[in-house]
Amino acid sequence: MPLRTLRILRASPTWMNPQSQLSKHFVRFSSYSSAPSGTVKINGHDVSVPTGIFIDNEFRSSLSGSKFNVENPATGQTVLEIEEGKGEDVDVAVEAARAAFEGSEWANSNPVWRGELLYRLAQLMERDKEDIIALEMMDTGKTRKQAANLDFPGSVGTLKYYSGWADKILGLTSFNIPGTFAYTRREPVGVCGQIIPWNFPLLMFIWKISPAIATGNTVVIKSAEATPLSALKCCELIKEAGFPAGVINLVSGFGKTVGNAIANHMDVDKVAFTGSTATGRAILKSAASSNLKKVTLELGGKSPNIIFPDADIEKAVEWSAWGINMNFGQTCHAGTRIYVHEDVHDQFVAAYTKRMSSLKVGDNFDESVDQGPQNSKMQYEKILGYIQSGKDEGATVSLGGKVAEVAGRGGKGYYIQPTIFTNVKPDMKIMREEIFGPVVCISKFRTEEEVLREANDTTYGLAAGVHTKDYERAIRITNGLKAGTTWVNMFNFVHWSIPFGGYKESGIGRECGEAALENYTETKAVYYNLGVPAPQ
């Protein structure tokens, strides 16, 4: 069935220049050609995956005809070829989203129905759970422990949570102003552009679309070029769930083309981005220089993890290990800077090194494995570069610091040993910059004032942890930490019902919880005159 004819607002070659006028030239695309589904063999089981861009509830070839390869990080080999969207495809997707947003079926939709759609999608995901988990593992290198016990239930839980919010987004009423009645409406923003990262492709896809749909918006979303498969599979289920055509559109492709086009598009009302701080800064500039679209950003981190002398050392070791082993350090809130009080420093380092050395690195489909491959060759080489930097600057490698040899791989795949640096100075590159890999730095401290100063001495402010049995101290320290999420006697625990986001250069706005709904609504005030005379 051909894509319905869409009128596309096309821009002149200089449209990204805020000084230029938006072109009035229109081009018609009567149809795309259909894109076939692909098949990926995972552990002897064939899993079908759509390979096209998803616009107006159809999977289509890109207008340019370009494609890109998706590789398995465990082997470095290509597993599938995906249609590569570009700016012209974003134009079509935005037009489809705009038509859906303004169409009566969606614009006047019962919020209960929107909630039912989200819940139905969750049910379909549960039905196809094993295929989705397998795709996520193969595409990202995640272990089953993480894909099945963290990412998948977190995604389904998020959908169900926001399905319950859809009919509870209410305004306020007031008779407090003499002679008037006033009320507010929470209205959807419109067409929302969303750009998600490669480290949690399934979870981030769901985190983005759920509050947007619950509040009545339409979506054009870009998946990361390294990990597009679970989002494509979810779009197949979105159509099956009964979402109207054009409500959710997915354009797979690269940041410099698809991401840039979304950020600069004059008919996108809001953009949400999760990724690096550098890219977030560029998106903010693009939003400002185009149509001043609303922006939320969830960006990088360099999270401190503080161990006080009264902490339960055994539990602190376990949570600190999870603080870096979650997704093998490829998470923005990883606990990469561990500050240990001098009274327990040696004890903690010995126990922590023993625990980290017990982690098994290998085939992520082996259920006994704790750490699979890093996500891509680029990320693998970046991490190794940081490890070399730490060595060159004089930090001590207490564990790891090398490529991990995995039996049967013949040197293929992107495996790195869990790495611990000690004797680290505050100005070292490994202490200042986000590494995004299985690398931690351990530093010694003496007083609360000293450790708070060092913990906050960063441009980031996403997360932080403190381990202590003294809850008065815990309150003092968590109050003093400049971070959007703080943990006491735990680390890397995030729930869909609690706001998540950062201070400083770690972002703008919050994901998850009721707070995320603010990102996707405009508040309209309405006044009724109940007898107030006009001013003379």
Side-chain angles (χ1 to χ4, degrees), residues 111-151:
V112 173
W113 175 55
R114 297 200 300 268
E116 288 173 347
L117 290 173
L118 291 171
Y119 202 91
R120 201 175 305 157
L121 177 57
Q123 291 176 312
L124 292 173
M125 287 177 63
E126 289 174 320
R127 182 197 68 189
D128 294 350
K129 174 181 177 178
E130 292 306 317
D131 282 355
I132 294 171
I133 289 171
L135 283 174
E136 193 78 342
M137 290 173 66
M138 190 208 62
D139 206 11
T140 63
K142 292 176 186 284
T143 61
R144 183 172 179 84
K145 295 174 187 177
Q146 299 203 27
N149 299 335
L150 178 71
D151 297 23

Side-chain angles (χ1 to χ4, degrees), residues 262 389 495:
I262 290 173
S389 168
H495 194 270

Side-chain angles (χ1 to χ4, degrees), residues 315-342:
K315 290 181 180 178
V317 164
E318 285 300 313
W319 280 107
S320 299
W322 177 242
I324 192 64
N325 185 240
M326 179 184 180
N327 211 31
F328 329 140
Q330 296 171 141
T331 174
C332 47
H333 47 77
T336 55
R337 294 184 295 145
I338 302 179
Y339 295 94
V340 187
H341 193 274
E342 61 184 6

Side-chain angles (χ1 to χ4, degrees), residues 98 106-107 146 156 163 165 185 209 214 218 307 345 359 377 379 405 408 410-411 453 475:
R98 177 60 64 190
W106 194 248
Q146 299 203 27
V156 169
S163 75
W165 265 113
R185 283 172 50 88
I209 67 169
T218 58
I307 318 296
H345 177 269
L359 296 177
K377 183 178 181 180
Q379 189 61 26
E405 300 296 334
R453 184 173 61 251
I475 291 171

Side-chain angles (χ1 to χ4, degrees), residues 38-69:
T39 301
V40 180
K41 188 173 288 294
I42 305 175
N43 279 359
H45 175 59
D46 289 337
V47 180
S48 67
V49 189
T51 62
I53 56 179
F54 183 71
I55 300 177
D56 231 34
N57 274 7
E58 299 293 337
F59 289 99
R60 301 292 174 174
S61 301
S62 64
L63 287 172
S64 68
S66 299
K67 297 177 175 60
F68 65 93
N69 294 330

